Amino acid sequence: MTPVAEVGTRRRSWREVDGIVLLDKPAGLSSNQALQRARRLLSAAKGGHAGTLDPMATGMLPLCLGQATKACGQLLGSTKAYRARVRLGSATDTGDADGQVVAQSTVPDLDRERIEGALALFRGTREQVPPMYSALKRDGRPLYELARRGEQVVREPRQIRIERLELLSMSPGELEIEVVCSKGTYIRVLGEDIAHALGTRGHLGELRRLWVEPFEGEPMVTLENIEAWATAGAGTPPRWLLPVDRAFAGLPRLDLGEVQAAHLRQGRVIEAPASAPITGRARAYGPGECFLGLVDVGEDGRVRVERLFVPGAGGL
C-alpha cells in the first residue's frame, strides 16, 4: 500500500494494482487523460499506457498498472489494427478532423478498381515521414508544440510495414479502410498519402483502434464500466483487469520449483529444469501459478533473468 496522497482538498488512498486494462478510449480525451481517469477510479498507485491515441480517436488503449508498467515497452512495439474514414477533398493542418482546413481539392471520379490500385501502393514495407503534429521530440520539445507555433522541422522518414490494407466501403468523398500495421505507423499520414495517390487531398474523419497485439479479439472495457465497478464497492477483482503475463502470451512457459523460483527472484542464474526443453525467451513461473517474469534460456541450459515482474524487483 502506498502512502495516502493529496487530491484537491480530499485525501486519496492509492493502492498497488497490478494488471492490464484494455480500455475502449472515448473520443475527446487524450490517452493520458483517459489513463488518469481510470487510475483514479481504480485508486491505482502506478500506471502507464501503451501506444498513444489522438483525442479524436477511439478504441483499444492498453493501460498497464503496477508491475505491468514494465510491459509497456513490449506492447508499444506490437502490431496494431485500425479502422478509419478518410475524407477526400480537403486537408487539415493536423491530418484529422480536429484540425483546421488548410487546402482543398476536387475529388476525381473514383471506382473500386482505381481505389484498390492506389491502396496496393502502400502494402508491405515502406518509409513514412512522421507528421509535425506528433509527440516525437526535437531538442526535448514535442513536435506538436512547434507545429502550433507555425514552425516546421525536417523529419527523418521511418520504416513501417502495412501488413493489411483493405477497402471496406466507399461513398462520394469518403473511404472506409481497415489497416493492420507495425509500430510507428501514423494512420493520419497514411490517409493523406492515399488521397494524394488518388489525385486529391484528404484527412481522417474518424479513427478507431481495433486491437493491439497480443490482444486481438479481446473485449474492451469503457470508463463507464470501470466507474460502475468502483461505485459498486470495488470488491471482487473485475474480469477486465488482465494478469500481467497476458502481455507475453506468445512466449513459451517455464515452470520452476520453489528453490529455483527463489533464486530467480534474487536475480541469480539457475539451471533449467530437465523437464523443460526450452531455449530462448520464455515466461517463468513459480509455485502457485506465480508469474515471475521474462527469462532467457541458453543453449547451455542456464536460465538468466531478462526482467522480473514481482514486487521489489523494479530495477531488473
Side-chain angles (χ1 to χ4, degrees):
M1 186 75 70
T2 59
V4 175
E6 287 286 350
V7 181
T9 58
R10 295 189 304 116
R11 294 173 68 82
R12 179 183 297 275
S13 181
W14 299 100
R15 62 195 181 96
E16 296 299 332
V17 177
D18 295 324
I20 298 169
V21 175
L22 301 180
L23 182 69
D24 188 347
K25 188 191 85 67
L29 292 181
S30 70
S31 294
N32 187 59
Q33 287 171 331
L35 166 66
Q36 298 310 327
R37 285 197 187 182
R39 272 192 65 218
R40 287 193 294 271
L41 289 169
L42 293 165
S43 296
K46 184 180 180 182
H49 60 78
T52 301
L53 281 175
D54 294 332
M56 69 156 282
T58 66
M60 186 177 287
L61 180 67
L63 306 182
C64 300
L65 306 175
Q67 290 293 320
T69 56
K70 301 174 186 177
C72 277
Q74 167 93 7
L75 298 177
L76 284 170
S78 300
T79 298
K80 301 172 178 66
Y82 299 87
R83 183 170 295 148
R85 290 188 181 275
V86 182
R87 294 177 183 169
L88 304 176
S90 61
T92 68
D93 54 2
T94 60
D96 59 32
D98 281 348
Q100 300 295 316
V101 174
V102 293
Q104 292 183 309
S105 178
T106 57
V107 180
D109 291 333
L110 299 174
D111 56 25
R112 179 170 286 272
E113 183 179 1
R114 181 171 177 180
I115 295 171
E116 292 287 4
L119 296 184
L121 301 174
F122 299 95
R123 298 187 184 108
T125 300
R126 60 190 301 271
E127 290 192 331
Q128 184 186 72
V129 178
M132 276 299 299
Y133 278 88
S134 68
L136 297 176
K137 292 186 177 181
R138 173 66 58 90
D139 298 327
R141 302 185 63 184
L143 291 184
Y144 62 75
E145 287 188 2
L146 303 179
R148 287 169 182 164
R149 292 167 45 182
E151 299 181 28
Q152 290 282 327
V153 298
V154 176
R155 287 96 64 202
E156 293 296 324
R158 296 182 166 192
Q159 189 175 89
I160 62 168
R161 179 168 180 80
I162 305 296
E163 296 184 6
R164 183 162 65 86
L165 178 55
E166 180 182 351
L167 177 65
L168 299 181
S169 66
M170 54 183 287
S171 59
E174 187 172 274
L175 308 177
E176 184 180 22
I177 59 173
E178 193 163 296
V179 187
V180 177
C181 57
S182 66
K183 70 172 183 176
T185 303
Y186 287 90
I187 308 300
R188 285 178 288 144
V189 175
L190 178 62
E192 292 175 322
D193 289 346
I194 290 172
H196 185 264
L198 292 171
T200 185
R201 304 290 188 107
H203 66 273
L204 288 190
E206 295 178 16
L207 178 65
R208 180 168 179 78
R209 186 189 281 160
L210 303 176
W211 50 264
V212 174
E213 188 183 22
F215 304 115
E216 182 178 0
E218 292 279 359
M220 292 179 260
V221 62
T222 66
L223 287 172
E224 290 76 15
N225 296 147
I226 299 175
E227 184 174 14
W229 175 82
T231 302
T236 305
R239 283 184 171 181
W240 38 260
L241 182 62
L242 304 180
V244 178
D245 59 339
R246 288 291 290 277
F248 311 104
L251 295 177
R253 173 177 174 138
L254 181 68
D255 288 291
L256 303 174
E258 186 173 346
V259 174
Q260 289 177 310
H263 288 170
L264 194 75
R265 289 171 69 107
Q266 296 167 4
R268 295 165 63 175
V269 177
I270 63 173
E271 293 288 340
S275 60
I278 297 173
T279 56
R281 206 168 183 228
R283 298 171 290 149
Y285 292 81
E289 295 292 310
C290 177
F291 176 56
L292 301 174
L294 302 180
V295 296
D296 180 71
V297 185
E299 296 286 349
D300 58 359
R302 308 273 279 174
V303 180
R304 295 168 175 82
V305 171
E306 178 182 311
R307 188 106 196 225
L308 293 180
F309 286 76
V310 289
L316 295 174

